[in-house]
């Protein structure tokens, strides 16, 4: 039998995939082996101790009719089982309370008369490979110790068995959530909880009590030790707050003065600002996962009371449908923001580069369907593909999932294919249009204009910044944050945070405060209060191009007017209104 113990130890080194549950012959052989180990532990063999690297067998003969036998295994510098770390003691007063004992079992026996044939045997398995379960699924087995212990008696009666486990697992990545006291039921060929209960007063974290002997285990379930995002910094609150205020004022401005501007322009500006406004509001109010405030560590009252069979060693985070809804809203409105910037860029190209004064029929309905419909399609497909397996959002905060269980970026998560890739294509398109307009319109030198009427460098710069803010060109910094260089990543993070958090404020400054309509209204207000000095300071500069109109064709004139005025007002207000 000693050779059989050696064989079992070698089997426990095999890959777990080699133990095919559908192979009945293999299952029968494994059952025979484990039962042979039990019988060997209480046999009359002269070998009272056999210890291999993956299995230990100990046998004792009780010296008293009624006694308590304690079997314990100590922790060591290696995972292998070693003889001097396996202890058996008779007349034990109870379970050990020291931190060095990893697993122990206490068996209380009673015998009417000692005949010398009584035996108490123990078998300790390094892992559970000889006990393949169809019910309990293991996904994290490499991260914790899952030893199996067997207690057996011959010629005596068992009053009670207590078992305790001080589990070893990666505490930096996982936290213990629940456990179950089980035994191997040979009739079911699986783990069973019958006859076992949890011990609340165990000296170790996990305690069990059973009324029969066999192969025992303490099955455990873990939760990932999520590093929940810290609350938003004051900088983020201030930036988003200013953007929310700026976007709200911009929307109100465009609606109030919609009669002075073309309908498709008002629709474009209001839609873009509305998508960005709602995104900012949802971001500030809901990005933090409320699960961070919950005590996710195993609750003794809730989880330790009932000894219920576990289905897996991996327990998902607490259900939070609200966080999922927030992630979906953020996903939708951020994609909508990008989509409207792309439509804005396309419209700018059509009007500035192609110099078209009239757009195609049903233009407003078409851009509305694209601007709001395409993001909805993306979000719907993503939710449908990932919601069933809880893979849509990240647990650390209410946003699209991006990291795997080891906190590494995963290409299989939806953040890449449901946001980063489509946003990258839109951003690339916007940058191309931005460059084309800046080179061909804004900074193009027009020799027909006199020196006093040429645009100033400051105005060119402001026009460039206005276009960049509206098209979201600064979002390219978000992609630069993906670099592995830590210091560079930090720099890009802060710069990106500033520009993205204040994008709404930038749009308000460039589209509203610098607009001719707004400045005229402000000037009128100040004039009412007889503060004409401030009114004159705000009075916009005018350029008269009537002298050169005869020298230019209609396309050149249209481009020049656009280049010298404000981007949000050019070709949008009739010349008579100017």
């Amino acid at each position: 039998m000693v050779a059989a113990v050696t064989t079992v130890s070698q089997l426990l080194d095999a890959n777990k995939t080699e133990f095919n549950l559908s192979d009945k012959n293999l299952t029968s052989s494994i059952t025979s082996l484990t039962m042979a180990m039990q019988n060997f532990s209480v046999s009359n063999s002269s070998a009272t101790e056999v210890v291999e690297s993956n299995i230990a067998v100990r046998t004792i003969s009780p010296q008293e009719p009624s006694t308590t036998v304690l079997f314990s295994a100590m922790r060591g510098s290696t995972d292998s089982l070693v003889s001097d770390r396996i202890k058996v003691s008779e007349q034990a007063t109870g379970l050990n309370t020291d931190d060095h004992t990893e697993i122990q079992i206490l068996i209380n026996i009673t015998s009417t008369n000692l005949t010398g044939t009584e035996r108490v045997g123990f078998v300790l398995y390094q892992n559970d490979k000889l006990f393949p379960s169809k019910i309990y699924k293991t996904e994290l087995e490499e991260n914790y110790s899952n030893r199996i212990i067997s207690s057996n008696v011959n010629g005596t009666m068992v009053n009670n068995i207590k078992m305790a486990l001080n589990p070893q697992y990666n505490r930096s990545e996982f936290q213990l959530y629940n456990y179950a006291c089980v035994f191997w039921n040979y009739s079911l060929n699986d783990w069973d909880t019958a006859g076992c209960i949890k011990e609340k007063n165990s000296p170790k974290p996990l305690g069990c009590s059973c009324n029969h002997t066999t192969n025992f285990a303490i099955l455990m379930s873990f939760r990932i030790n999520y590093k929940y995002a810290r609350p938003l910094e004051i900088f983020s609150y201030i930036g988003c707050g200013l953007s929310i205020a700026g976007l709200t004022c911009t929307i109100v401005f465009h609606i109030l003065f919609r009669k002075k501007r073309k309908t498709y322009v008002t629709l474009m500006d209001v839609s873009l600002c509305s998508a960005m406004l709602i995104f900012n509001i949802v971001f500030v109010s809901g990005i933090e996962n409320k699960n961070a405030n919950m005590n996710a560590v195993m609750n003794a009252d809730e989880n330790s009371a009932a000894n219920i069979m576990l289905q897996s060693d991996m327990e998902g985070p607490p259900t939070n449908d609200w966080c999922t809804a927030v992630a979906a809203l953020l996903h939708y409105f951020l994609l909508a923001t990008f989509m409207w910037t792309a439509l804005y860029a396309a419209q700018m190209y059509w009007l500035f580069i192609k110099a078209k004064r009239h757009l195609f029929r049903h233009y407003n309905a078409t851009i509305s369907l694209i601007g709001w419909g395409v993001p909805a399609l993306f979000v719907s497909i993503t939710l449908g593909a990932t919601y069933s397996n809880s893979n849509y959002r990240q647990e650390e905060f209410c946003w699209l999932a991006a990291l795997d269980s080891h906190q590494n970026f995963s290409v299989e998560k939806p953040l890449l294919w449901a946001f980063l890739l489509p946003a990258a294509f839109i951003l690339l398109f916007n940058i191309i249009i931005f460059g084309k307009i800046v080179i061909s319109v804004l900074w193009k030198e027009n020799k027909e204009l006199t020196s006093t009427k040429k645009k100033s460098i400051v105005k060119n710069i402001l026009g460039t910044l206005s276009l960049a803010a509206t098209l979201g060109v600064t979002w390219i910094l978000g992609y630069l944050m993906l670099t592995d260089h830590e210091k560079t990543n930090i720099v890009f993070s802060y710069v990106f945070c500033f520009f993205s958090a204040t994008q709404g404020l930038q749009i308000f400054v460039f589209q509203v405060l610098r607009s001719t309509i707004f400045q005229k209204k402000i000037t009128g207000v100040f004039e009412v209060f007889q503060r004409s000095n401030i009114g004159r300071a705000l009075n916009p500069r005018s350029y008269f191009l009537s002298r050169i109109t005869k020298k230019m064709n209609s396309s050149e004139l249209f481009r020049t007017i656009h280049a010298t005025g404000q981007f949000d007002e050019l070709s949008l207000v009739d010349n008579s209104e100017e």
Side-chain angles (χ1 to χ4, degrees):
M1 286 301 297
V2 176
V5 173
T6 303
T7 301
V8 170
S9 179
Q10 293 172 347
L11 284 173
L12 292 173
D13 270 331
N15 193 313
K16 199 167 187 177
T17 57
E18 300 295 330
F19 297 87
N20 189 354
L21 292 176
S22 61
D23 189 338
K24 294 184 178 181
N25 292 330
L26 178 61
T27 302
S28 177
S29 298
I30 291 176
T31 299
S32 299
L33 274 176
T34 55
M35 293 186 72
M37 293 299 100
Q38 286 184 253
N39 295 331
F40 175 60
S41 69
V42 291
S43 67
N44 292 323
S45 172
S46 59
T48 59
E49 179 184 54
V50 180
V51 179
E52 297 287 340
S53 59
N54 293 314
I55 185 173
V57 181
R58 288 293 301 268
T59 305
I60 69 166
S61 299
Q63 302 300 312
E64 299 290 339
S66 297
T67 186
T68 303
V69 182
L70 175 65
F71 174 94
S72 59
M74 306 298 205
R75 290 177 176 171
S77 57
T78 63
D79 292 333
S80 299
L81 300 179
V82 181
S83 179
D84 59 5
R85 295 204 298 265
I86 307 296
K87 307 293 183 182
V88 176
S89 58
E90 194 176 347
Q91 297 296 337
T93 57
L95 295 169
N96 291 334
T97 59
D98 62 90
D99 293 331
H100 299 293
T101 303
E102 179 181 353
I103 188 170
Q104 53 187 316
I105 186 169
L106 183 72
I107 181 169
N108 189 304
I109 60 173
T110 301
S111 179
T112 305
N113 296 304
L114 291 179
T115 62
T117 60
E118 294 82 7
R119 296 287 186 274
V120 178
F122 302 93
V123 182
L124 179 63
Y125 299 90
Q126 178 75 303
N127 53 59
D128 61 353
K129 292 178 182 178
L130 297 183
F131 303 90
S133 174
K134 297 181 290 292
I135 301 175
Y136 178 71
K137 308 301 180 184
T138 55
E139 302 176 27
L140 309 172
E141 55 189 343
E142 295 181 357
N143 296 280
Y144 64 92
S145 173
N146 54 347
R147 290 177 173 176
I148 311 300
I149 191 168
S150 170
S151 67
N152 310 279
V153 297
N154 183 27
T156 185
M157 296 178 57
V158 176
N159 294 329
N160 181 258
I161 295 175
K162 290 186 177 182
M163 183 170 57
L165 175 67
N166 192 4
Q168 298 185 68
Y169 60 94
N170 190 340
R171 285 175 167 78
S172 63
E173 293 188 16
F174 302 98
Q175 53 188 358
L176 183 62
Y177 176 74
N178 199 0
Y179 75 98
C181 303
V182 298
F183 74 96
W184 188 255
N185 188 328
Y186 283 105
S187 298
L188 301 175
N189 264 332
D190 217 318
W191 296 113
D192 194 355
T193 59
C196 294
I197 61 173
K198 294 180 179 179
E199 281 282 336
K200 292 185 178 180
N201 299 321
S202 173
K204 295 300 178 183
L206 310 182
C208 300
S209 178
C210 298
N211 58 14
H212 54 78
T213 61
T214 185
N215 299 294
F216 296 104
I218 296 181
L219 305 182
M220 297 174 286
S221 65
F222 299 87
R223 274 182 175 165
I224 295 175
N225 192 19
Y226 294 104
K227 307 297 188 297
Y228 286 99
R230 296 180 299 175
L232 294 176
E233 297 180 357
I234 188 65
F235 176 81
S236 298
Y237 279 115
I238 294 175
C240 291
L242 292 174
S243 282
I244 291 172
L247 289 167
T248 303
C249 294
T250 304
I251 293 172
V252 172
F253 171 80
H254 287 316
I255 293 176
L256 290 178
F257 297 101
R258 63 187 181 279
K259 293 183 179 180
K260 292 182 176 293
R261 315 170 79 236
K262 294 188 181 298
T263 304
Y264 60 79
V265 176
T266 300
L267 175 64
M268 184 74 69
D269 289 335
V270 171
S271 298
L272 172 59
C273 293
S274 296
M276 197 179 302
L277 173 64
I278 299 175
F279 171 79
N280 276 275
I281 293 174
V282 176
F283 177 82
V284 171
S285 60
I287 188 67
E288 297 171 21
N289 191 343
K290 302 304 180 183
N291 286 345
N293 300 323
M294 299 171 58
N295 183 13
V297 180
M298 183 181 65
N299 185 294
D301 294 330
E302 295 182 4
N303 294 331
S304 298
N307 187 32
I308 301 174
M309 181 64 190
L310 302 181
Q311 303 299 313
S312 172
D313 62 353
M314 182 66 182
E315 180 73 19
T319 303
N320 191 339
D321 293 333
W322 170 256
C323 189
T324 303
V326 168
L329 288 173
L330 291 175
H331 186 198
Y332 174 72
F333 284 106
L334 190 54
L335 276 181
T337 299
F338 272 92
M339 186 58 64
W340 280 107
T341 61
L343 292 172
Y344 193 99
Q347 181 173 281
M348 296 281 282
Y349 178 82
W350 188 263
L351 295 175
F352 283 83
I353 306 301
K354 294 298 183 180
K356 301 293 184 180
R357 297 301 303 269
H358 302 286
L359 301 172
F360 56 85
R361 293 182 60 187
H362 308 299
Y363 177 76
N364 292 342
T366 302
I367 63 173
S368 296
L369 182 62
I370 296 174
W372 297 115
V374 173
L377 184 63
F378 264 91
V379 174
S380 299
I381 293 175
T382 307
L383 273 172
T386 60
Y387 187 78
S388 60
N389 56 7
S390 301
N391 203 30
Y392 177 70
R393 65 169 175 84
Q394 202 70 26
E395 174 61 20
E396 290 82 351
F397 44 83
C398 302
W399 179 232
L400 293 177
L403 307 178
D404 58 19
S405 59
H406 300 291
Q407 302 301 297
N408 297 320
F409 184 83
S410 173
V411 297
E412 298 178 358
K413 299 294 183 177
L415 179 64
L416 176 65
W417 48 267
F419 176 72
L420 290 179
L421 289 181
F425 282 117
I426 293 176
L427 189 58
L428 179 62
F429 173 76
N430 289 354
I431 291 174
I432 292 174
I433 300 299
F434 171 76
K436 183 71 175 176
I437 293 176
V438 168
I439 295 173
S440 302
V441 180
L442 270 176
W443 291 86
K444 182 179 180 180
E445 183 179 359
N446 195 326
K447 298 180 180 179
E448 300 293 339
L449 294 175
T450 62
S451 59
T452 59
K453 297 173 182 175
K454 290 183 178 180
K455 298 171 294 175
S456 66
I457 295 179
V458 173
K459 193 158 189 173
N460 287 344
I461 293 174
L462 291 176
T464 303
L465 293 177
S466 174
L467 188 59
T470 306
L471 298 184
V473 174
T474 53
W475 272 83
I476 193 173
L477 297 170
Y479 289 84
L480 296 177
M481 288 169 53
L482 300 176
T483 57
D484 292 331
H485 193 273
E486 184 176 356
K487 293 184 178 179
T488 304
N489 181 279
I490 293 175
V491 172
F492 283 131
S493 297
Y494 277 101
V495 177
F496 171 71
C497 183
F498 170 77
F499 282 108
S500 61
T502 60
Q503 186 178 3
L505 178 64
Q506 298 168 44
I507 291 177
F508 171 71
V509 171
F510 291 121
Q511 285 195 10
V512 177
L513 296 187
R514 292 186 63 247
S515 68
T516 303
I517 298 174
F518 179 80
Q519 292 183 5
K520 282 183 177 180
K521 293 296 180 181
I522 292 297
T523 300
V525 171
F526 280 111
E527 286 177 350
V528 171
F529 290 96
Q530 296 182 347
R531 298 179 63 178
S532 57
N533 57 327
I534 299 179
R536 286 193 298 271
L538 294 174
N539 191 36
R541 183 182 301 176
S542 301
Y543 292 94
F544 300 96
L545 309 176
S546 59
R547 297 181 181 178
I548 62 170
T549 55
K550 297 180 181 180
K551 301 180 181 180
M552 304 170 60
N553 57 41
S554 59
S555 176
E556 291 174 336
L557 174 60
F558 185 71
R559 293 183 184 180
T560 302
I561 294 175
H562 280 61
T564 56
Q566 304 300 328
F567 270 92
D568 56 327
E569 295 181 78
L570 301 178
S571 86
L572 315 179
V573 182
D574 295 336
N575 291 337
S576 60
E577 295 176 1
E578 290 294 317

